[in-house]
Amino acid sequence: MRIGELAERAGTTTRTLRYYESRGLLTARRTDQGHRTYDEDDLRLLQQIRTLQDFGFELEETRPFVDCLRAGHPAGDSCPASIAVYRRKLTELDGLIDQLQAVRAHLGAQLLRAEAELPHGPEPRCELDMTEAEGTTK
């Protein structure tokens, strides 16, 4: 298939495919006229890359999965290098979750403090009555 068809089937752009090619993640074969051609294996590679990127993986982090598929494995994550990337990503996510939980706890404490300091009388009036401010009466 040509580059436009592959881009359409993969849900991406030809520009993205050329970029992946420049990064060595996608390899095009050329026709006698110099047109790029691809096959179903290339579509599988792209689907793997897109799925991983949808999960927050950087483009370079997808390389071991692509290499695994190129080596003939049935899935991009059935190689030791791919499993290592999964482990690193999970550690990264655990760190981010810890940070978010700490921020949440801090904000919760701030909210409780702010609520405790509220006056218990009637709500202060925040609106400015323009007739009073101008010194006029109705």
Side-chain angles (χ1 to χ4, degrees):
M1 77 187 87
R2 302 264 300 263
I3 191 169
E5 181 183 351
L6 179 62
E8 184 176 327
R9 289 183 63 192
T12 190
T13 64
T14 57
R15 181 178 179 178
T16 298
L17 298 184
R18 285 189 210 85
Y19 178 70
Y20 290 170
E21 186 178 337
S22 75
R23 298 293 304 266
L25 292 168
L26 187 63
T27 304
R29 288 155 301 286
R30 299 284 183 158
T31 65
D32 293 338
Q33 296 83 20
H35 298 289
R36 292 174 169 91
T37 62
Y38 303 92
D39 59 22
E40 294 299 319
D41 289 338
D42 296 312
L43 179 59
R44 242 175 89 216
L45 291 176
L46 286 172
Q47 290 168 334
Q48 179 76 76
I49 292 168
R50 298 289 308 254
T51 297
L52 291 169
Q53 286 195 302
D54 287 347
F55 290 145
F57 285 67
E58 298 294 327
L59 185 59
E60 195 56 36
E61 291 175 314
T62 69
R63 188 173 301 279
F65 298 86
V66 169
D67 292 344
C68 191
L69 286 171
R70 280 190 181 144
H73 294 273
D77 61 2
S78 57
C79 294
S82 304
I83 291 169
V85 172
Y86 275 158
R87 284 191 180 117
R88 280 194 307 269
K89 186 55 85 174
L90 283 172
T91 299
E92 179 185 322
L93 290 172
D94 287 340
L96 292 171
I97 289 168
D98 291 345
Q99 286 178 338
L100 287 172
Q101 287 176 331
V103 168
R104 187 184 192 293
H106 179 75
L107 288 176
Q110 290 292 97
L111 173 62
L112 288 175
R113 181 201 50 77
E115 287 176 334
E117 292 176 2
L118 283 176
H120 295 291
E123 285 288 317
R125 191 168 166 206
C126 294
E127 295 177 25
L128 178 63
D129 184 344
M130 292 307 290
T131 57
E132 291 175 18
E134 294 171 356
T136 60
T137 58
K138 290 185 180 181

